[in-house]
Amino acid sequence: MSLELINNPILVTLQDKGRYGYSSIGVTNSGVMDEYAYFWANKMLGNSLGTNILEIAFSNVIFKVNAATKIALTGAKCEFFINDISKECWQTHNVKAGDIIKIAKILEGNRVYLGVFGGFDIKKEFGSNSTTIKENLGGLDGTKLKKADILPFKEYISHHNSRLKKEFIPSYCDELTLRVVLGYQDENFSQVEKNKFFSNIFTLSNDFNRMGCKLNGEPILCDIDGIISEGISFGAIQIPSDGQPIILLKDRQTIGGYPKIGSVLSIDCFKLSQAKTNCKIKFKEISLNEALKEVKEFYSFFS
């Protein structure tokens, strides 16, 4: 009763909401990059919202099903097949022993999410299944999945499926506006530099992974070169000496010494996780109260 990888994918990891409360010992939160796609997969399957899932970051991943279950595929738009028959994403599908699931070319977005009914029966580390490769934690053995890996689950036979309404399915475009709460060392950036930050159009570089992403654009200058290392939040925007912003994401380091102008709203980071290289990025200031309201509404929707 399992899902078996029958090829060697570039990057597939087991993830969930992440692990919390361990940053004091240097353990990052980790977790799925796109919580919107993750929550919908679990919601359609009838799983609890913290159920683990597979995060697939590149094309050409093939699985063999070894027992009946129900699966859901969300996130990036991709070519998706069951037994060589093309299937739709953002809905559930019933599969049986012997079926072959293939995620081929990723057409829009960056990350595909594949969940099963009840989740995968994998032991947690520090309260989470999330894989953090740099810390060798989570997943099957603290690293990405490879050919012949087995992901056990409880057999489940279903005779119906769920489909997400089109109005809730996101589109992934080549322009993004990210909302930002100013903070951290923002007083060390002149008003001229802040204005430049919010009026500039940046380009997403290819220096983009689960730790963070670097942007290219007109340099943003800070009055200080560095700070005493301090804790870093999800979405924090570091400004290193070259003036090119770095947005820190799920596998970020727990402390850092670059000055930070503020933080991208967490729910906007989920959209950022699906952006491709050369995507145009603009920033928009949002107040702390507005940010708290937006985040509360997002999570209330799924609760």
Side-chain angles (χ1 to χ4, degrees):
M1 295 184 287
S2 63
L3 201 63
E4 179 182 352
L5 255 172
I6 61 174
N7 74 328
N8 256 320
I10 296 175
L11 184 61
V12 177
T13 58
L14 187 68
Q15 300 291 340
D16 55 24
K17 287 177 68 176
R19 50 182 63 83
Y20 295 87
Y22 301 99
S23 58
S24 61
I25 58 172
V27 176
T28 192
N29 296 148
S30 196
V32 293
M33 291 278 278
D34 182 356
E35 291 187 22
Y36 182 82
Y38 165 69
F39 286 149
W40 270 122
N42 278 322
K43 197 173 181 71
M44 288 191 294
L45 287 166
N47 293 341
S48 70
L49 294 183
T51 302
N52 60 36
I53 202 165
L54 295 178
E55 183 176 272
I56 300 166
F58 292 92
S59 303
N60 194 30
V61 183
I62 307 173
F63 300 95
K64 180 181 178 182
V65 181
N66 293 323
T69 189
K70 178 184 289 189
I71 66 170
L73 211 76
T74 62
K77 181 180 179 181
C78 66
E79 295 174 338
F80 163 44
F81 303 90
I82 298 176
N83 299 329
D84 292 325
I85 299 172
S86 179
K87 299 292 183 178
E88 294 294 324
C89 300
W90 293 93
Q91 64 183 67
T92 64
H93 300 272
N94 297 318
V95 292
K96 63 186 184 303
D99 283 351
I100 300 296
I101 299 168
K102 182 176 181 179
I103 290 87
K105 186 177 181 181
I106 293 179
L107 306 171
E108 294 178 13
N110 258 343
R111 292 172 171 84
V112 175
Y113 292 90
L114 172 63
V116 302
F117 179 84
F120 299 103
D121 190 13
I122 306 293
K123 184 179 178 180
K124 295 183 177 182
E125 291 186 276
F126 291 98
S128 171
N129 287 131
S130 286
T131 307
T132 314
I133 295 173
K134 66 186 178 69
E135 293 168 2
N136 198 223
L137 280 176
L140 293 183
D141 53 9
T143 189
K144 64 182 182 179
L145 299 182
K146 60 186 181 303
K147 184 177 181 178
D149 276 346
I150 301 292
L151 297 154
F153 56 76
K154 292 182 176 61
E155 185 174 21
Y156 176 72
I157 297 174
S158 173
H159 300 290
H160 69 277
N161 282 296
S162 302
R163 181 195 303 263
L164 189 62
K165 292 182 179 179
K166 286 185 178 180
E167 63 196 88
F168 295 114
I169 299 175
S171 58
Y172 304 115
C173 57
D174 55 7
E175 294 183 5
L176 268 181
T177 297
L178 304 177
R179 292 166 291 181
V180 173
V181 177
L182 289 172
Y184 282 112
Q185 290 77 44
D186 72 293
E187 71 277 3
N188 296 115
F189 293 84
S190 70
Q191 192 58 52
V192 170
E193 295 303 315
K194 290 178 185 176
N195 291 343
K196 189 196 302 181
F197 176 77
F198 286 111
S199 62
N200 230 354
I201 297 177
F202 296 90
T203 301
L204 185 61
S205 77
N206 59 11
D207 191 1
F208 182 15
N209 54 37
R210 286 183 48 86
M211 288 185 66
C213 63
K214 188 164 187 175
L215 308 181
N216 294 324
E218 188 176 354
I220 306 301
L221 304 179
C222 184
D223 295 338
I224 55 176
D225 293 327
I227 59 170
I228 296 172
S229 290
E230 62 181 4
I232 300 175
S233 70
F234 178 47
I237 308 166
Q238 290 183 331
I239 308 295
S241 57
D242 65 2
Q244 303 300 325
I246 299 171
I247 303 173
L248 297 170
L249 301 171
K250 288 297 183 80
D251 284 0
R252 65 195 179 279
Q253 66 272 31
T254 55
I255 60 172
Y258 288 127
K260 296 171 287 296
I261 196 169
S263 290
V264 173
L265 197 61
S266 59
I267 57 179
D268 286 1
C269 288
F270 307 152
K271 298 174 185 177
L272 175 62
S273 74
Q274 296 288 4
K276 290 186 177 293
T277 300
N278 295 323
C279 176
K280 303 301 180 185
I281 306 288
K282 288 194 69 174
F283 295 110
K284 177 183 177 182
E285 186 176 0
I286 186 173
S287 71
L288 179 58
N289 285 338
E290 288 176 302
L292 291 171
K293 179 183 176 183
E294 291 284 341
V295 172
K296 182 178 179 181
E297 287 180 356
F298 175 86
Y299 287 104
S300 295
F301 180 81
F302 288 103
S303 61

